[in-house]
Amino acid sequence: MKNLVTAIGLATALASPALAEGQLNIYNWGNYTSPELIEKFESETGIQVTITDFDSNDTALAKVKAGGHGFDIVVPSGTFIPIWVGEGLLLETNPNSMENFKHMDPQWVDVAFDPGRKYSVPWQWGTVGVTVNTSVYDGNPHTSSIFLDPPEELRGKINVVPEMTDVMSLAIKFHGGEQCTGDREILKKVRDTLVEAKQHWLSIDYGTIEKYAKGDLAAGVNWNGASLRSREQNPDIVFGYPQEGYPVWMDNVVVLKEANNAENAKIFQNFIMAPENAALISNFARYANGIAGSQAYMPEEMSSAPEVVIPDELKAAAYVAEVCPPAVQQIYTRIWTELQK
Amino acid sequence: MPNGVRTARRRWLLLTPALVILLFAATGPLLIVLVYSFLTPGDYGGVVWTFSTDAWFNVVVERDFFDDTLSFADAHLSIFWRSVKLSLVTTLVAFIVGFPTAYFIATRPRETRDMWMLLIMVPFWTNLLIRTFAVMEIIRNEGVINTGLIQLGIIDAPIQMLFTEFAVTLGMVYVYLPLMVLPIYASMERMDFSLIEAGYDLYASRWRILRKVIFPLVKPGVVAGSILVFVPALGAYVTPRVLGGGKQLMLGNLIELQFGQGRNWPLGAALSISLLAIVMVALFVYVRSAGTQEGRHD
């Protein structure tokens, strides 16, 4: 947060009228934008950047749909991009014909949410898995049973992130289903498992980096980058990739159709596809990006971190997160409500 | 033009700005919420302009998604009840703490009263979220209390206070206490303390004086304070979430879920109106009962 304030402060300071080449308004997740990146972008282009935070994909979508926001760039998760496109909110900027497109890792070019990359440029990608403090429990961390059927040692010290879709899909995979399933038999098991497991949870909360590091929490559902940031404060922390299946997500930079500074936004899209710039993004928020060759600009402990490099034997369990159809979403909301009643 | 008519007209003219604000800033949004509660949810948030009573139906009844049987929406009901219960407890504890506080301040010498009031007010100037995090900092496992007790050797392992009902109640009372103290103090300050002396002269016990002299005199303040605490407590959102660890939904969180991840705006709107209805009924009952008791004294 402090860094963000500094970034905004610098942004204001740098924007002397002489080199002002216009502005760029970015709407991104909180504590997620590298101040160094913005500084570099501003000094190279003279464009003045303003950053606004959001806390969930749904919030971002609702706010932009309501209009009158003044944003040029948004960074939604890949799962939501088809919705943004379907609602007619995005400008087709064709990143695939931009100068730095050649740096994009081929495995992230033909993604389901934006085939061939007509709208979006990768920001960062990561996984949802489990964080375990090995000084409390030193069994196998690579399973969803860490939070769905927790071992004795971890009970009462577990946190689950309040991301309904991620938690539901982890539990569905645990019972052998596919994400977004409407199969009642599986959903019934999922509900029973979650309700049963909840008595062993301490909280359903965000912002847990420090709580894991300090031992308030011993395990829980978490994002890999957040887990890495906890491990940097406490070496006992490990990140587990559930062998039953775990979601992979990617946040992407898109330009809004009603952007006032569309040209500057395109410059930004191109800018962050350069490996040395993409590396700045990762160095700050601790997630991988989709740009090949950016590892060369990252510190060793980041590019080879076990939270970033998925072990070969667990790669097959990964699946790319999708947005569930509205009817299924309603059942999930009901289970989620029942879980917290 | 007769003088009376002109005065009446001028009164209305002067009232116009307030009426316009009330109409557009209070009634308008409320109407939108009401209308939304009768629409169909959009696929990805928002509403579709098709009339539907599903949202209202879903507030009280739920269709079991496994065997399609209809039953009472006990998830919603228990969340409603939890919020009401928490608000009642908060109001009660705030009264138990706030009444003596107000009495204490009102009985100080006139010059120092403002200083005591300032002490009540200062935390209130701070942002709600920051006050909530301050409470968290005090009661967390490495917080002030636990660290202190461990260093004094009274306990070995931290007591789990954060993320419990105790934490939520503590936070709520702390956050809303000034709203209880201020109105009680206001009526106590105007109280004629010679009436208390008169009571003692007539051999009334302390308890009797409290019940028969002080309490009836400051009752309007107590009623106002209780309403001021109860109403916002019912819709409290941040405090239960931060201090309760999000394990149990409150009404405010349930409504937020529908507008966010749940993508069911009409249900969220219907729940909001239900909350409003509860507040209105509670206020009505409360003011009525307070009024009749007042009548008995006269």
Side-chain angles (χ1 to χ4, degrees):
Chain A
M1 206 59 209
K2 206 191 218 165
N3 288 329
L4 194 69
V5 174
T6 324
I8 294 168
L10 266 166
T12 328
L14 283 171
S16 63
L19 63 133
E21 294 288 335
Q23 307 188 329
L24 181 64
N25 295 312
I26 299 178
Y27 193 33
N28 198 356
W29 300 79
N31 197 6
Y32 202 44
T33 317
S34 159
E36 237 184 296
L37 174 86
I38 298 303
E39 231 172 274
K40 188 174 177 212
F41 178 75
E42 287 181 327
S43 63
E44 279 184 18
T45 61
I47 295 167
Q48 184 194 335
V49 178
T50 310
I51 298 162
T52 311
D53 292 354
F54 60 78
D55 61 358
S56 81
N57 277 304
D58 295 284
T59 314
L61 181 62
K63 189 157 178 181
V64 169
K65 263 168 87 175
H69 45 75
F71 300 131
D72 303 306
I73 277 180
V74 184
V75 191
S77 300
T79 48
F80 274 71
I81 288 190
I83 303 175
W84 287 80
V85 173
E87 298 275 342
L89 296 166
L90 299 188
L91 186 70
E92 209 175 310
T93 54
N94 291 313
N96 49 21
S97 58
M98 288 178 183
E99 191 197 336
N100 285 332
F101 184 73
K102 56 179 187 284
H103 298 297
M104 199 189 292
D105 188 331
Q107 66 160 324
W108 290 111
V109 172
D110 255 323
V111 284
F113 55 81
D114 184 13
R117 294 281 179 181
K118 288 195 296 206
Y119 298 93
S120 63
V121 166
W123 177 256
Q124 296 188 94
W125 67 271
T127 50
V128 184
V130 290
T131 292
V132 178
N133 186 329
T134 50
S135 73
V136 181
Y137 172 73
D138 59 3
N140 175 21
H142 299 294
T143 165
S144 287
S145 61
I146 292 290
F147 79 102
L148 289 173
D149 181 17
E152 196 63 45
E153 299 94 312
L154 296 175
R155 292 183 180 176
K157 297 197 120 193
I158 293 172
N159 177 69
V160 173
V161 287
E163 288 288 335
M164 179 172 86
T165 317
D166 289 332
V167 175
M168 285 296 294
S169 78
L170 279 169
I172 289 167
K173 279 282 179 181
F174 184 72
H175 282 295
E178 288 304 313
Q179 61 171 331
C180 298
T181 183
D183 184 321
R184 294 180 181 203
E185 280 312 306
I186 290 178
L187 287 177
K188 195 167 186 154
K189 280 191 217 157
V190 164
R191 181 193 60 178
D192 295 345
T193 307
L194 286 172
V195 169
E196 177 67 24
K198 190 195 148 192
Q199 56 179 312
H200 305 307
W201 302 351
L202 177 62
S203 53
I204 303 180
D205 205 5
Y206 292 116
T208 53
I209 292 173
E210 191 195 327
K211 292 191 187 113
Y212 282 116
K214 288 193 170 171
D216 273 345
L217 296 169
V221 180
N222 203 1
W223 289 281
N224 62 326
S227 193
L228 199 168
R229 282 160 92 169
S230 294
R231 177 173 60 79
E232 287 172 340
Q233 298 175 37
N234 180 347
D236 290 334
I237 307 274
V238 297
F239 183 73
Y241 301 88
Q243 64 211 19
E244 300 88 1
Y246 57 91
V248 173
W249 49 265
M250 174 175 260
D251 293 333
N252 302 267
V253 172
V254 293
V255 181
L256 294 173
K257 199 172 258 175
E258 52 186 37
N260 292 324
N261 309 295
E263 285 314 307
N264 290 348
K266 286 184 199 170
I267 295 174
F268 188 77
Q269 279 191 321
N270 186 50
F271 180 79
I272 60 165
M273 284 191 284
E276 64 274 23
N277 298 334
L280 292 177
I281 303 176
S282 298
N283 290 347
F284 176 75
R286 296 307 200 201
Y287 292 95
N289 55 67
I291 303 301
S294 64
Q295 290 87 340
Y297 299 91
M298 294 179 199
E300 170 69 19
E301 72 267 18
M302 168 71 207
S303 54
S304 66
E307 290 88 352
V308 174
V309 185
I310 304 175
D312 282 335
E313 67 275 19
L314 290 162
K315 272 187 178 150
Y319 59 90
V320 177
E322 287 168 16
V323 168
C324 302
V328 172
Q329 187 80 2
Q330 277 202 17
I331 301 180
Y332 290 8
T333 309
R334 291 258 306 277
I335 296 179
W336 192 245
T337 309
E338 203 174 311
L339 183 65
Q340 299 174 80
K341 78 177 180 192
Chain B
M1 205 185 291
N3 213 7
V5 175
R6 197 185 298 166
T7 324
R9 181 171 295 177
R10 190 163 52 206
R11 191 178 296 149
W12 277 109
L13 219 63
L14 286 170
L15 276 175
T16 311
L19 287 175
V20 168
I21 288 176
L22 261 181
L23 202 68
F24 283 94
T27 323
L30 214 59
L31 274 177
I32 295 176
V33 177
L34 188 67
V35 170
Y36 271 30
S37 72
F38 286 104
L39 297 175
T40 310
D43 282 357
Y44 301 104
V47 286
V48 177
W49 285 82
T50 317
F51 178 80
S52 156
T53 51
D54 276 4
W56 283 100
F57 184 73
N58 285 332
V59 169
V60 283
V61 178
E62 67 187 12
R63 188 185 297 277
D64 193 291
F65 41 81
F66 300 124
D67 54 20
D68 279 334
T69 51
L70 294 177
S71 64
F72 237 13
D74 97 293
H76 291 167
L77 243 48
S78 56
I79 292 168
F80 266 91
W81 172 234
R82 177 179 308 123
S83 286
V84 171
K85 202 171 60 182
L86 177 68
S87 307
L88 287 174
V89 171
T90 304
T91 312
L92 191 70
V93 178
F95 170 73
I96 292 171
V97 178
F99 188 87
T101 312
Y103 184 81
F104 174 81
I105 298 174
T107 49
R108 292 310 97 187
R110 188 165 288 280
E111 316 80 69
T112 57
R113 278 185 217 164
D114 286 345
M115 194 264 296
W116 290 107
M117 275 325 281
L118 195 72
L119 289 181
I120 299 281
M121 292 295 291
V122 166
F124 205 54
W125 294 339
T126 318
N127 180 292
L128 173 73
L129 197 60
I130 293 173
R131 276 182 290 157
T132 307
F133 274 98
V135 173
M136 179 164 134
E137 212 43 54
I138 292 171
I139 60 174
R140 64 187 303 167
N141 286 8
E142 308 80 26
V144 180
I145 295 180
N146 273 319
T147 331
L149 289 178
I150 290 174
Q151 275 173 0
L152 288 173
I154 297 171
I155 51 170
D156 299 326
I159 306 166
Q160 183 69 48
M161 288 181 283
L162 191 62
F163 302 152
T164 59
E165 281 192 23
F166 163 76
V168 179
T169 316
L170 178 73
M172 295 279 282
V173 170
Y174 172 63
V175 162
Y176 293 118
L177 189 61
L179 294 176
M180 181 65 89
V181 174
L182 288 177
I184 297 184
Y185 170 73
S187 30
M188 236 173 225
E189 204 196 14
R190 271 176 282 144
M191 193 169 71
D192 184 356
F193 278 85
S194 57
L195 290 173
I196 298 176
E197 284 165 32
Y200 279 128
D201 287 347
L202 294 168
Y203 297 102
S205 66
R206 283 161 160 262
W207 173 240
R208 210 173 158 82
I209 286 176
L210 181 67
R211 266 183 54 223
K212 296 287 181 184
V213 182
I214 303 178
F215 193 70
L217 284 171
V218 297
K219 201 167 162 195
V222 176
V223 172
S226 306
I227 291 173
L228 283 177
V229 173
F230 181 77
V231 172
L234 203 50
Y237 167 76
V238 170
T239 313
R241 176 142 193 178
V242 171
L243 297 177
K247 259 181 88 178
Q248 293 184 320
L249 292 173
M250 295 289 161
L251 255 179
N253 312 99
L254 177 67
I255 292 170
E256 190 260 358
L257 175 66
Q258 307 308 328
F259 284 98
Q261 299 186 45
R263 298 186 209 133
N264 193 343
W265 289 23
L267 180 58
L271 289 166
S272 306
I273 302 272
S274 310
L275 171 63
L276 199 76
I278 297 181
V279 171
M280 274 165 60
V281 169
L283 282 188
F284 186 72
V285 170
Y286 193 71
V287 171
R288 271 293 285 273
S289 70
T292 46
Q293 279 169 20
E294 204 87 28
R296 229 181 296 151
H297 281 289
D298 290 339

